[in-house]
Amino acid sequence: MPLYTPIVGSLDDDQLHYEAISYCWADQLPTEPVHCDGQTVLATRNCEAALRQFRPENEQETRLLWIDSLCVNQRDTSERSHQVLLMGEIYKKADQVLIWLGNKSVPFEGATLRTPQYYVAAFDWIARIAKAAEEDDVESRRSNFLRLMQESRDMDLFDFVDVVPWFKRLWVVQEAAMSKKAILFYDQGRTSLESIFKAGVFMAELEASGIGGTLALSNPHWNAFGVHNLAKRTLESKSLRNPTDSTVCDFLGEMRWSRCSEAKDKVFALHGLLTASGLPLPPPDYSKSTADIYRETTVAVLKTTYSIRILEQVDGLGSTPGLASWVPDWSSSTHSIGLLGNYYGALAVGDTFFAFPEPDEKKLALSGSSIDVITARCELSLAHTSERLGNSKNYWTWSKNAQPREPFWRDILKANPQHSTTILFFWNFRVLREFVNFALQPTPSAASEDSVLELYNTLMCLCTSHEEVVEDQAGARLWFSTLAGQWVDLPFEETNDQWMDKAIDTVRDDPQLAGIIKTPEYEISKRISIMKTCSTFQQRIERLAYKTLFRTASGKLGIAPHSVRSGDEIMLLAGGRVPMVVRCLGQEYMLVANGHVEGLVACETERTRSCEITFA
């Protein structure tokens, strides 16, 4: 059992030198005894493993470490609130931050499909690509990256990112971002966080240059380190009060993917970082409601940036009690991804305007123009396949997916929650078939070219700026015809789409999922998996989770979260970047979500008249 002696120090003492440990509780219970200050306290297995890793090998040496489970009384709410206020400074003033990911002797929850040595090898690969990123010679760096990319074909890095809890937890984001220097450790391996960031930049450059295979690496890299990278950028931003700078809003949007055990910590876990960035937040107070904490944060962002783009994160799918409709619900790690603001850059209606009609700032007044009305909505919406429904016996009560109503899909999902990702992968082909029927009349093969491109562009509206998306009318018609079950014989194409092959193989190999083989969706997925153009389209629409199609009174096609309904208005808000769906509630309005309207052009908005409306 490790032996530790507490040392009392002050953050104002420049002579105080210590290292801070960043690790994850990983939902573990404190079961491991640790001797500290003449007492025996219990720590989690992950905490105890970190302490063993970082204690000096020579018992005569000392090492001054800060770790939350031993330095903060977790049972004292008052002390927790006070320590949360100091947390950013604690990690900022540490000589270095030691990021403990775990070791092979403490198995990860859900890591049942891989051996412990697999995760050691995966981290070793990450460490080597981080080292390659530090090379000064560009050609040498490029050569080593391409060689390492070839090696990575034998491993699925998503598996490593998915099972290591540190990558998914929110508290650690601030700890890493505010550090002077951060080193990641897994088992006996180590690498620099700064080098990993550099590797990500270089991978993005390779991807932009058209080097094949980079997406399979850059996606898990972004999933693992994207929010930490944005956190660093938020701290370094010098233009928080510039309405054209979206850094803090981008960061708050990205942090939604990260998890914490208490909804209030979606703000409190970042308090030091956000205030250091210039955002004037009130001190952490766990006695406040989650709704009030989120509202106060949204108000601070609005007033500080003098921009309303934080409202783009509203999706109408949240469940936080008492939350105002105009306040983003950050409580869940899954949400509907918002539109790209630059897509609608020319549509802004007037200068930014917002006001708070009442002193308590619970209502928000905005100026906007109503430009259309939703008259029809598709009954189905694309499912989020990675909600990890299998982690809860009661997932039907908390999932944001619009659950399948068809008996076969509903029953197989209820009976096999551990396979929810695979089942919803095939269910989404059923949804896309419905999208095709909703948007293309009478059939995909007979639909006009304009209709095909309208649906294609609508489904591609969330493609990121570095992806080249061209109006491929022939490819789109082939994709839609295949979804509709109208087969076209084509030669086999090498797609290297492991994500599709994995789902198909899972269904083939598991008797509990055998019923899916008999569905049209299974046959459609097989055909698309060998058609490079179609499989590329299919992968790009992964960002459309929770969204459904709609038609407007003017006949335009659009897409938005399934929280929208017929009768909702499409509105452009003064200073806004994207169309917003709003719902009239008598004298006041509800902000529902942002929504893409295909073919909306600036000249159509010039005839509209702005008015001030209040959102509750």
Side-chain angles (χ1 to χ4, degrees):
M1 293 185 291
L3 177 63
Y4 300 97
T5 302
I7 296 177
V8 179
S10 170
L11 291 174
D12 296 326
D13 182 0
D14 293 334
Q15 302 305 310
L16 181 65
H17 294 282
Y18 65 96
E19 298 164 288
I21 299 176
S22 175
Y23 74 110
C24 183
W25 287 53
D27 298 324
Q28 297 173 353
L29 296 176
T31 57
E32 306 302 310
V34 176
H35 288 318
C36 182
D37 195 23
Q39 302 179 52
T40 299
V41 296
L42 295 180
T44 65
R45 290 184 67 189
N46 207 27
C47 173
E48 196 263 356
L51 292 171
R52 284 188 179 277
Q53 174 74 20
F54 299 130
R55 70 178 179 180
E57 292 184 7
N58 186 338
E59 293 184 0
Q60 303 304 314
E61 296 178 5
T62 59
R63 189 175 193 179
L64 189 53
L65 300 172
W66 190 95
I67 190 167
D68 62 353
S69 60
L70 298 184
C71 299
V72 179
N73 184 354
Q74 303 292 332
R75 299 177 181 177
D76 188 326
T77 302
S78 176
E79 181 175 338
R80 279 179 63 203
S81 295
H82 177 67
Q83 289 291 335
V84 166
L85 194 60
L86 300 176
M87 206 66 72
E89 285 297 300
I90 289 172
Y91 282 87
K92 179 180 178 180
K93 294 194 173 182
D95 291 344
Q96 67 177 0
V97 172
L98 312 173
I99 298 173
W100 176 246
L101 302 183
N103 61 28
K104 60 186 178 184
S105 66
V106 181
F108 299 122
E109 182 180 354
T112 57
L113 301 178
R114 303 287 189 179
T115 65
Q117 197 57 41
Y118 173 86
Y119 298 109
V120 172
F123 183 80
D124 177 67
W125 183 90
I126 292 172
R128 285 187 291 145
I129 205 162
K131 182 178 180 181
E134 293 290 351
E135 295 187 36
D136 294 328
D137 184 73
V138 176
E139 284 305 315
S140 177
R141 188 191 322 157
R142 180 186 177 92
S143 175
N144 283 333
F145 260 73
L146 294 177
R147 175 179 55 79
L148 288 166
M149 283 167 54
Q150 285 296 118
E151 289 184 25
S152 73
R153 292 177 181 272
D154 297 329
M155 64 178 70
D156 185 350
L157 290 179
F158 273 115
D159 279 352
F160 184 75
V161 173
D162 277 348
V163 302
V164 177
W166 190 89
F167 292 125
K168 299 189 285 289
R169 303 302 291 185
L170 186 60
W171 277 101
V172 302
V173 172
Q174 176 176 263
E175 298 167 3
M178 298 194 73
S179 64
K180 300 173 187 174
K181 177 183 178 183
I183 308 296
L184 283 85
F185 296 82
Y186 178 70
D187 206 62
Q188 300 305 309
R190 59 183 291 169
T191 189
S192 159
L193 182 62
E194 188 62 33
S195 298
I196 289 175
F197 287 162
K198 291 180 181 179
V201 171
F202 195 67
M203 276 191 279
E205 292 174 358
L206 290 177
E207 184 181 337
S209 67
I211 301 295
T214 52
L215 198 61
L217 303 180
S218 59
N219 276 350
H221 181 281
W222 180 258
N223 281 2
F225 301 106
V227 68
H228 308 89
N229 203 355
L230 276 173
K232 277 281 190 186
R233 283 172 46 197
T234 300
L235 278 171
E236 296 165 358
S237 176
K238 303 300 181 183
S239 53
L240 191 62
R241 296 181 183 274
N242 181 353
T244 63
D245 188 338
S246 63
T247 304
V248 69
C249 293
D250 291 343
F251 172 59
L252 288 171
E254 187 65 26
M255 70 88 180
R256 298 171 81 175
W257 299 104
S258 301
R259 302 173 188 171
C260 48
S261 57
E262 191 168 346
K264 298 174 184 180
D265 288 337
K266 278 296 180 83
V267 172
F268 293 164
L270 302 171
H271 188 276
L273 186 150
L274 292 173
T275 53
S277 303
L279 201 63
L281 294 177
D285 183 353
Y286 281 95
S287 67
K288 290 181 179 178
S289 69
T290 301
D292 281 343
I293 294 166
Y294 289 2
R295 179 180 53 79
E296 290 171 350
T297 305
T298 305
V299 170
V301 174
L302 287 167
K303 289 182 175 181
T304 305
T305 64
Y306 202 73
S307 165
I308 65 170
R309 65 183 58 187
I310 190 68
L311 306 183
E312 296 170 13
Q313 296 180 22
V314 172
D315 64 11
L317 301 174
S319 58
T320 296
L323 192 69
S325 72
W326 51 273
V327 176
D329 191 339
W330 292 305
S331 63
S332 173
S333 60
T334 56
H335 57 278
S336 174
I337 299 177
L339 301 173
L340 299 175
N342 56 0
Y343 194 100
Y344 292 95
L347 295 180
V349 179
D351 296 330
T352 299
F353 169 81
F354 64 86
F356 300 98
E358 300 171 358
D360 61 9
E361 298 180 330
K362 291 186 176 181
K363 295 181 180 180
L364 177 67
L366 300 169
S367 177
S369 301
S370 181
I371 59 172
D372 219 330
V373 177
I374 295 176
T375 54
R377 198 204 81 166
C378 183
E379 292 185 2
L380 303 183
S381 63
L382 286 165
H384 193 305
T385 60
S386 299
E387 278 190 324
R388 300 300 175 200
L389 303 185
N391 290 349
S392 171
K393 295 180 180 179
N394 302 313
Y395 69 83
W396 292 92
T397 64
W398 60 261
S399 170
K400 291 184 180 180
N401 284 326
Q403 299 297 335
R405 296 180 182 178
E406 298 175 13
F408 169 77
W409 292 104
R410 184 186 66 236
D411 293 346
I412 198 170
L413 184 56
K414 276 191 171 183
N416 301 279
Q418 72 277 17
H419 290 303
S420 60
T421 296
T422 299
I423 296 168
L424 292 174
F425 166 83
F426 289 100
W427 165 251
N428 275 344
F429 285 100
R430 172 69 185 89
V431 175
L432 287 170
R433 290 175 60 204
E434 193 66 23
F435 280 8
V436 169
N437 292 334
F438 181 85
L440 302 181
Q441 298 296 330
T443 63
S445 57
S448 68
E449 181 174 329
D450 287 345
S451 295
V452 170
L453 288 179
E454 178 186 52
L455 177 57
Y456 172 75
N457 288 334
T458 299
L459 295 177
M460 295 294 127
C461 70
L462 285 186
C463 286
T464 54
S465 56
H466 64 267
E467 290 176 320
E468 183 180 359
V469 180
V470 297
E471 291 190 342
D472 184 354
Q473 196 268 343
R477 191 181 294 274
L478 174 62
W479 182 32
F480 299 146
S481 296
T482 304
L483 288 169
Q486 299 169 1
W487 310 136
V488 177
D489 291 329
L490 292 172
F492 171 81
E493 295 180 280
E494 179 61 49
T495 62
N496 193 33
D497 283 329
Q498 298 178 2
W499 63 285
M500 293 190 72
D501 295 338
K502 185 176 180 180
I504 293 170
D505 291 343
T506 299
V507 167
R508 285 174 178 162
D509 298 339
D510 195 319
Q512 293 177 303
L513 304 180
I516 294 178
I517 296 176
K518 301 176 183 178
T519 65
E521 289 72 29
Y522 179 79
E523 187 61 33
I524 290 169
S525 70
K526 283 199 337 183
R527 287 181 175 270
I528 286 181
S529 71
I530 62 171
M531 301 160 73
K532 188 171 184 178
T533 299
C534 295
S535 65
T536 299
F537 294 160
Q538 198 72 34
Q539 190 166 18
R540 283 174 175 162
I541 65 167
E542 286 289 295
R543 298 185 183 94
L544 297 178
Y546 302 126
K547 287 182 169 57
T548 189
L549 295 181
F550 62 81
R551 283 281 181 195
T552 70
S554 65
K556 289 185 171 58
L557 184 68
I559 192 166
H562 62 75
S563 52
V564 304
R565 65 191 189 197
S566 295
D568 289 345
E569 299 177 47
I570 308 295
M571 185 170 283
L572 293 179
L573 301 174
R577 305 185 303 166
V578 300
M580 300 297 292
V581 181
V582 305
R583 185 172 302 153
C584 182
L585 302 175
Q587 299 298 313
E588 298 173 331
Y589 278 75
M590 170 184 175
L591 191 62
V592 181
N594 60 65
H596 170 77
V597 182
E598 179 59 27
L600 184 64
V601 292
C603 63
E604 296 179 68
T605 69
E606 295 173 356
R607 300 188 296 269
T608 60
R609 182 177 171 183
S610 295
C611 61
E612 184 176 323
I613 57 177
T614 299
F615 291 89

